[in-house]
Amino acid sequence: MSYDDQNVFAKILRGEIPCDKVHEDDWALAFKDISPQAPIHILVIPKGPYVSMDDFSANASEAEVAGFFRAVGRVARDAGAAPDGYRFLANHGDDAHQEVPHFHVHIFAGRDLGGMIRRPKN
Ligand code: AMP
């Protein structure tokens, strides 16, 4: 899948649409999810044009990978989430219901997050 530079997170990175920013550095931008699923729900995205975790893990440089994951940990710590715990999650592709085709990590915290995966009803 090639990168679509009209996706909503690409527009946020270019400053074309606003976000509720909590962190920015050379490698990552972090902002609050527009539809939070927990008291703390932050998205962390790399600055580079990567479609998903699959693309990022295969094609990003060592510096991009290190810088990005350092930022994820820092954002969780700065949000106060580390002592009580948090979950970070990245959806890749259709089975995971990835909606936005720019790699992003969700950080959830601020309440008991329950079991890891809820099975769909069928
Ligand atoms: P995913 O299903 O992993 O692709 O998640 C995409 C996430 O992006 C969802 O949790 C949305 O609520 C969130 N989202 C979509 N548009 C925006 C936006 N403009 N600002 C902040 N979060 C957004």
Side-chain angles (χ1 to χ4, degrees):
M1 184 181 182
S2 62
Y3 185 78
D4 170 14
D5 69 4
Q6 293 306 305
N7 78 75
V8 64
F9 293 169
K11 291 179 179 177
I12 286 174
L13 275 174
R14 291 194 296 268
E16 293 169 8
I17 61 173
C19 71
D20 194 348
K21 181 162 74 175
V22 299
H23 174 79
E24 183 169 16
D25 61 31
D26 287 348
W27 308 110
L29 175 68
F31 50 91
K32 293 183 182 175
D33 196 290
I34 204 167
S35 180
Q37 306 297 311
I40 296 170
H41 184 175
I42 298 170
L43 301 172
V44 191
I45 69 175
K47 291 271 175 93
Y50 298 100
V51 175
S52 70
M53 177 62 184
D54 185 57
D55 185 16
F56 186 72
S57 60
N59 298 313
S61 69
E62 305 299 312
E64 286 175 299
V65 172
F68 177 74
F69 281 101
R70 293 269 189 210
V72 173
R74 177 178 168 175
V75 166
R77 273 193 305 279
D78 289 353
D84 287 342
Y86 61 88
R87 177 169 295 150
F88 82 92
L89 175 154
N91 293 313
H92 161 70
D94 291 343
D95 277 0
H97 294 242
Q98 182 181 0
E99 292 172 11
V100 179
H102 182 111
F103 175 44
H104 51 283
V105 164
H106 298 253
I107 297 171
F108 303 101
R111 64 167 168 80
D112 185 326
L113 296 165
M116 191 163 66
I117 292 176
R118 186 181 306 149
R119 296 181 189 281
K121 293 185 184 120
N122 56 15

